[in-house]
Amino acid sequence: MNYDYTAEDRLEQPHKYMYARFGGKAFLTAYMADRRARCDALPGSAPGGDDAARVTGALQDPALSNLGIRIAPDAAGQDKPSADLRPLDSFSVDATIETSELLEALFDAQFAQRDEAARAFWLRRLTQRFEVSKKLYQRYPPGFRKGDGPNDDIRLYALFSLTLALAWHVQPQLQHLSTLLKLNDLLLSLPPERLTNAFPADGVRLSVATELNAITRLANEQGIRLGHD
């Protein structure tokens, strides 16, 4: 059995995920093999290695500096400290929102575990927007419904994926995992060089490792044992 959700460029050809049939353990095995193969193809991977054990240690790094993730690069190409980011609770659906600014603030707040109410609100709103079209737009006008501008900024999808992975790590919610799966389908459907030119490979690996660990745990709870073979 093949895992078809990454078979095409999902940035160009989004999958609707409508009435998908469950293929049992064979489907889950194909899914996990596809995830591992695509992570192995990312620059810096050790084919056949277990990236999960290595990259999940990054959660102990307050700045995620060992992932080289640029949370909010300034005009000179340098990372801004968290103190220079716009506060998450300063965003409002009544104003136009630049998606990159919102995601940077949301990621920072999620990692630092602050602004709980604002985190929950914006995770929910961004999830809703993505689930409707499987797209994230450059900006959202007042009302935060119909997006505006380009929708092909890979960094936005990757940063949202990693933010959801952190959210799952702290407080698992199935909706977060469902959206995380779709975001990672999109990201891993892209050529490896294109993906990692937009976002650090270890950031992608961390998100995928979180997803795989979650799926394995849920499968185990249903009596389905998923191994590495």
Side-chain angles (χ1 to χ4, degrees), residues 215-226:
I215 294 298
T216 299
R217 190 184 75 184
L218 291 173
N220 287 345
E221 290 174 357
Q222 299 301 316
I224 302 173
R225 307 295 296 181
L226 298 174

Side-chain angles (χ1 to χ4, degrees), residues 26-120:
F27 171 81
L28 291 173
T29 300
Y31 146 75
M32 298 195 84
D34 186 84
R35 282 290 195 264
R36 293 192 181 105
R38 291 177 185 275
C39 281
D40 283 349
L42 297 177
S45 294
D50 185 1
D51 282 319
R54 180 171 65 85
V55 300
T56 49
L59 290 170
Q60 308 305 317
D61 180 354
L64 291 185
S65 59
N66 58 328
L67 297 184
I69 293 173
R70 308 177 67 77
I71 303 305
D74 63 20
Q78 301 297 315
D79 293 344
K80 292 181 183 178
S82 296
D84 290 346
L85 293 176
R86 181 175 167 183
L88 184 59
D89 60 8
S90 71
F91 291 87
S92 170
V93 294
D94 297 325
T96 296
I97 290 177
E98 294 294 326
T99 309
S100 62
E101 292 183 2
L102 175 60
L103 278 169
E104 288 158 4
L106 180 58
F107 177 91
D108 183 67
Q110 183 64 53
F111 194 85
Q113 288 297 287
R114 60 172 177 267
D115 300 328
E116 182 177 358
R119 287 198 332 260

Side-chain angles (χ1 to χ4, degrees), residues 122-138:
W122 287 114
L123 279 171
R124 183 172 64 253
R125 294 305 294 264
L126 280 165
T127 295
Q128 290 170 347
R129 291 303 91 215
F130 175 76
E131 289 287 357
V132 168
S133 63
K134 307 303 182 289
K135 296 288 187 182
L136 291 173
Y137 288 85
Q138 181 180 14

Side-chain angles (χ1 to χ4, degrees), residues 150-228:
N151 56 30
D152 59 354
D153 186 343
I154 297 169
R155 181 175 176 271
L156 297 182
Y157 297 92
L159 192 53
F160 188 30
S161 170
L162 189 53
T163 301
L164 285 173
L166 292 176
W168 174 270
H169 179 77
V170 173
Q171 185 177 6
Q173 294 186 29
L174 288 178
Q175 180 59 70
H176 292 166
L177 181 59
S178 176
T179 303
L180 178 62
L181 281 159
K182 295 164 190 171
L183 283 162
N184 286 342
D185 281 346
L186 183 155
L187 293 169
L188 293 176
S189 75
L190 303 173
E193 294 79 9
R194 184 182 177 195
L195 173 56
T196 54
N197 282 341
F199 201 76
D202 269 352
V204 178
R205 292 189 190 99
L206 176 56
S207 178
V208 174
T210 301
E211 174 201 308
L212 289 173
N213 288 342
I215 294 298
T216 299
R217 190 184 75 184
L218 291 173
N220 287 345
E221 290 174 357
Q222 299 301 316
I224 302 173
R225 307 295 296 181
L226 298 174
H228 287 265

